[in-house]
Amino acid sequence: MTSPERFAALWRSLAPIGNSPQGYHRISWTYPDLACREWFAEEAADRGLRVETDGNGNLWAWRGDPAAGDAVVTGSHFDSVPGGGGYDGPLGIVSAFLALDLLSERGVTPRRPIGVVAFTEEEGSRFGVACLGSRLLTGALDPERAATLRDRDGVTLPEAMKSGGVDASLLGPDPARLARIGTFVELHVEQGRALTAPVGVASAIWPHGRWRLDVTGQGNHAGTTRMAERHDPMLTFAFAVLAANKEARLNDAHATVGRVSVEPNATNAIPSAVTAWLDARAADQSTLDSLVAAIGTRVVERAAQDGTAIAIAAESVSPVVEFHTALRDRIAALLGGAPVLPTGAGHDAGVMAGHVPTAMLFVRNPTGVSHAPDESATDIDCAAGVEALATVLEELACR
Ligand code: GLV
Ligand code: MN
Ligand code: MN
């Protein structure tokens, strides 16, 4: 049994890293991310696991020899959104180590190698592409494109990796590593209020994506430019926010504009340019496509009215994921009929699902808040999550 106290003890050893009154800032390749990576290496060493960093910066810890193949891998990510919660990602890694402890205590001898993984930059907070590490590993992201990604300060991904001590010359697909994995299971905090039991099993991930909206106009004086003579990109942007919200409601979907940057960002000047990022999600691809098309049409019309120019570009798009049905059902039954539910949140498991049989376990989130400092899960539920993960790993690795 993992007691809530035992969960809390390991959790406390990681929890302070990157935390602040404004939430977690564990941005990839910055100091908190590197400190989390060190924590991973130490926890792995304490358990006698062999640690590797792959060419994409993903961390792996192995019990048994991965070269034997058909490995069972579990894990998640350390990185957070800016001002995020502590559970999104790290819960899956802490739970993985504790689940391995349970297997050792039970005297279980796995027939298959077991790996713990910490994927790089799942949130896409620094370089804009969600699930960066798992996409690169699986070949879903072109390494040449990845090498040109820049953060808000103009630092490229290879430069950031180098500052974290990882050589980026090996960025890209790693079919040999992928071929060693027989099954992937990610445990994750649930990110809404859909799960009322302590632990659930994922059925699907909604298709979703991020689109960049570049609106350009004419910078000018706030006091002297007549209202009728302005080409104000802020107006087009404001309309885009409202149009996204309205279209999402009409389509029973989700749309959010959570990030914006304004040039020159002066109180007494009409901006010359506004860049905003639209996050859109829906239960199925055709709804998502119509949602994004409808928002685009309305914003282009509005730009013409405002005398501004607009460019819309997809930055990170994820198709619908239906998790492996037999594995999902087997796990739900093994966990005594755990609830099975879809999610609107993206995960590395969604990327892995295109390549290996993959499942997800969710741990209840009492407030439903996520990507914000109030994200939480009780120690009791987290301990139940560890127990469930250990049960799943034992079933997969030993039978
Ligand atoms: C990741 O958590 C996402 O859903 O954006
Ligand atoms: Mn997240
Ligand atoms: Mn996550």
Side-chain angles (χ1 to χ4, degrees):
M1 255 306 264
T2 286
S3 64
E5 292 73 24
R6 190 196 275 193
F7 170 79
L10 189 57
W11 188 252
R12 271 199 304 271
S13 70
L14 180 68
I17 300 173
N19 198 9
S20 76
Q22 291 76 39
Y24 279 89
H25 286 77
R26 288 175 174 160
I27 307 301
S28 67
W29 305 112
T30 63
Y31 169 73
D33 185 44
L34 299 180
C36 288
R37 287 166 177 271
E38 253 175 56
W39 176 94
F40 182 99
E42 282 163 16
E43 291 304 322
D46 285 352
R47 291 166 175 81
L49 310 179
R50 197 161 53 77
V51 175
E52 298 170 342
T53 304
D54 70 22
N56 298 305
N58 304 310
L59 281 174
W60 305 80
W62 290 105
R63 169 165 296 170
D65 180 4
D70 197 26
V72 180
V73 175
T74 185
S76 192
H77 60 97
F78 283 123
D79 68 301
S80 73
V81 298
Y87 290 80
D88 176 353
L91 181 62
I93 299 171
V94 169
S95 301
F97 284 127
L98 289 171
L100 284 186
D101 292 347
L102 280 187
L103 296 194
S104 301
E105 283 162 25
R106 289 177 192 166
V108 164
T109 314
R111 192 176 52 74
R112 299 165 65 180
I114 302 182
V116 178
V117 65
F119 284 114
T120 296
E121 177 134 353
E122 188 271 351
E123 301 288 2
S125 299
R126 184 164 182 187
F127 292 104
V129 177
C131 301
L132 187 61
S134 56
R135 277 188 211 255
L136 280 163
L137 168 76
T138 57
L141 176 65
D142 177 2
E144 282 180 20
R145 180 180 165 218
T148 64
L149 294 171
R150 287 180 188 274
D151 71 5
R152 298 173 199 214
D153 298 320
V155 177
T156 65
L157 174 63
E159 287 165 352
M161 289 175 72
K162 193 170 170 208
S163 74
V166 176
D167 171 12
S169 66
L170 297 175
L171 270 185
D174 193 344
R177 185 175 297 276
L178 196 55
R180 294 169 168 181
I181 306 171
T183 315
F184 179 62
V185 182
E186 179 170 357
L187 178 147
H188 204 281
V189 68
E190 215 276 310
Q191 293 174 279
R193 281 197 302 270
L195 179 61
T196 52
V199 177
V201 180
S203 56
I205 299 179
W206 283 16
H208 58 283
R210 303 170 182 193
W211 288 263
R212 176 181 162 133
L213 277 50
D214 284 300
V215 193
T216 43
Q218 185 181 49
N220 213 332
H221 197 293
T224 58
T225 316
R226 291 187 181 133
M227 296 308 282
E229 291 172 4
R230 297 178 177 214
H231 303 284
D232 184 349
M234 190 68 94
L235 285 184
T236 316
F237 158 72
F239 178 87
V241 175
L242 296 176
N245 188 279
K246 184 169 178 182
E247 290 299 332
R249 287 167 190 272
L250 290 173
N251 284 280
D252 203 12
H254 295 167
T256 309
V257 181
R259 180 180 167 198
V260 61
S261 93
V262 180
E263 282 300 324
N265 212 13
T267 308
N268 54 352
I270 299 163
S272 57
V274 175
T275 298
W277 283 262
L278 168 71
D279 178 307
R281 312 187 187 215
D284 61 81
Q285 192 65 48
S286 73
T287 306
L288 179 62
D289 292 345
S290 5
L291 169 67
V292 174
I295 297 168
T297 304
R298 297 192 61 196
V299 176
V300 167
E301 281 168 11
R302 176 69 199 209
Q305 213 174 304
D306 293 335
T308 57
I310 175 136
I312 303 176
E315 281 205 339
S316 176
V317 176
S318 305
V320 69
V321 174
E322 301 283 352
F323 286 109
H324 194 279
T325 315
L327 181 61
R328 176 199 77 192
D329 292 347
R330 182 176 166 201
I331 289 175
L334 186 68
L335 301 180
V340 175
L341 64 162
T343 179
H347 300 286
D348 293 304
V351 176
M352 295 298 284
H355 303 269
V356 291
T358 295
M360 285 194 81
L361 299 181
F362 289 134
V363 171
R364 174 165 57 189
N365 178 337
T367 61
V369 173
S370 190
H371 283 186
D374 284 346
E375 181 182 86
S376 69
T378 65
D379 292 344
I380 294 173
D381 285 355
C382 292
V386 171
E387 193 76 30
L389 182 61
T391 303
V392 170
L393 295 180
E394 183 172 351
E395 165 79 7
L396 295 173
C398 300
R399 298 198 213 295

